[in-house]
Amino acid sequence: MPARALHHINIRARRTLIAELKEFYKGVVGLRDGWRPPFRSTGHWLYLGEVPAVHLVEDETLDEPTATRGSTIDHVSFSCTGLRAFEALLKAKDIRFRRSDVPGTSLVQLLFDDPAGNGVELQFTDADA
């Protein structure tokens, strides 16, 4: 039986970076705080609608990130609406981003990094652009 959907991403980092990431994914991407099971670890689950899409886990044993991207995963992508509003938000928050048209499609992407250096892609249809 094949997989049906990507369920969530999990980001593990020191408490101070997790706090930055939480505010970033809420304030920039538009996710919201939601219920998290009472694991022994501490952290947050950020929801995309009813789906806990981004899991943030505090881990003080980790070193701070040293690269601009992870070693194997380049980015996470979100389907979005409101291209112009997102561009204005990124500019207002002084977040450097790149706009890209996907060749052979009608998709437009905004690409940038989160506070940990993980790549983030927001994807829009041309009707929204």
Side-chain angles (χ1 to χ4, degrees), residues 44-125:
H44 311 277
W45 278 13
L46 303 179
Y47 282 67
L48 179 63
E50 298 303 312
V51 177
V54 176
H55 297 183
L56 302 174
V57 179
E58 296 175 359
D59 187 342
E60 294 303 309
T61 67
L62 298 174
D63 292 329
E64 293 297 325
T66 57
T68 58
R69 295 281 172 93
S71 60
T72 58
I73 296 177
D74 183 70
H75 68 274
V76 61
S77 178
F78 297 92
S79 294
C80 299
T81 59
L83 174 63
R84 287 180 185 84
F86 267 110
E87 286 178 315
L89 176 67
L90 294 172
K91 288 176 184 174
K93 293 186 174 282
D94 202 28
I95 296 172
R96 292 178 46 196
F97 67 94
R98 180 173 53 90
R99 181 178 168 151
S100 177
D101 295 321
V102 179
T105 75
S106 59
L107 300 174
V108 177
Q109 302 170 327
L110 299 181
L111 303 139
F112 50 95
D113 290 340
D114 74 11
N118 301 307
V120 177
E121 172 189 302
L122 305 182
Q123 192 170 98
F124 306 83
T125 63

